[in-house]
Amino acid sequence: MTRVLYPGSFDPVHNGHVEVIETAARLFDEVVVAILGNPDKAGGMFEFPERVAMMAETCAPHANVVVVHRDRLLVEVAHEFAVDMVLKGLRGAADFDIELQMAGMNRAVGGTTTLFLPASAPLAFISSRFIREIAGAGGDVSMLVPPAVNRRLVAKAGQNARSAP
Ligand code: PNS
């Protein structure tokens, strides 16, 4: 049986992430989607319980996918779930540079093996950062995110509009 860990900050999960999860659910017996903290992205848009709720709803069709949140190192989560490897999506060269470095660090400190999955071209431009920026300003990103995310983005935009001076 093969078990893979798909980690990320997922603030929020978007269709590029969903592509990775759907592929992993086909390729591996079990997929652990782990929502972790990224110290470079502190003070995000969604609290961790909301990120978990959106991810759990999005992954519900896949019986072999579990969603967890952990406040610890990726290598510790990899050991906790005894995964065979870690899976990361790659959108382009910028992702590759940082992901290769993280994979090397995680291999050195935790012995984890990281596998990279390139994004399909139509999804390679999507980023959580720009989802937050566009939706936060009232823009429509419904074509880029799962319904569980879009509902919450629309609700947040409505709250912001109501509280604007
Ligand atoms: O979706 P992201 O923000 O690119 O994911 C990055 C994430 C959360 C996987 C990374 O920041 C991480 O592994 N955080 C847990 C803390 C950790 O193990 N840091 C060492 C990374 S080499």
Side-chain angles (χ1 to χ4, degrees):
M1 198 196 69
T2 50
R3 186 181 295 142
V4 72
L5 179 70
Y6 180 43
S9 44
F10 303 119
D11 184 29
V13 53
H14 57 62
N15 290 351
H17 299 130
V18 173
E19 179 182 57
V20 175
I21 293 166
E22 286 174 346
T23 305
R26 279 201 313 274
L27 294 178
F28 298 94
D29 297 310
E30 284 185 17
V31 183
V32 180
V33 177
I35 303 178
L36 307 180
N38 182 341
D40 293 334
K41 300 178 181 172
M45 182 180 234
F46 290 100
E47 301 294 334
F48 283 108
E50 284 179 291
R51 296 186 208 179
V52 171
M54 290 185 284
M55 186 62 92
E57 186 177 330
T58 302
C59 295
H62 304 288
N64 62 339
V65 177
V66 296
V67 178
V68 300
H69 161 56
R70 291 291 185 274
D71 185 16
R72 42 195 319 212
L73 290 174
L74 184 154
V75 291
E76 293 172 342
V77 182
H79 293 154
E80 177 187 348
F81 288 93
V83 297
D84 298 287
M85 63 195 85
V86 174
L87 183 64
K88 291 288 196 88
L90 289 182
R91 291 167 296 187
D95 278 355
F96 183 73
D97 282 348
I98 182 70
E99 294 297 348
L100 191 64
Q101 198 171 14
M102 284 200 276
M105 291 294 289
N106 288 329
R107 181 188 283 271
V109 302
T112 55
T113 300
T114 303
L115 195 70
F116 295 128
L117 187 67
S120 65
L123 301 177
F125 63 90
I126 308 177
S127 94
S128 293
R129 178 185 156 200
F130 293 121
I131 295 283
R132 293 194 299 271
E133 189 172 322
I134 294 169
D140 177 14
V141 292
S142 58
M143 70 300 289
L144 306 176
V145 296
V149 174
N150 193 53
R151 268 200 331 269
R152 286 170 176 85
L153 288 172
V154 169
K156 264 190 195 293
Q159 281 165 12
N160 291 346
R162 279 194 295 280
S163 60

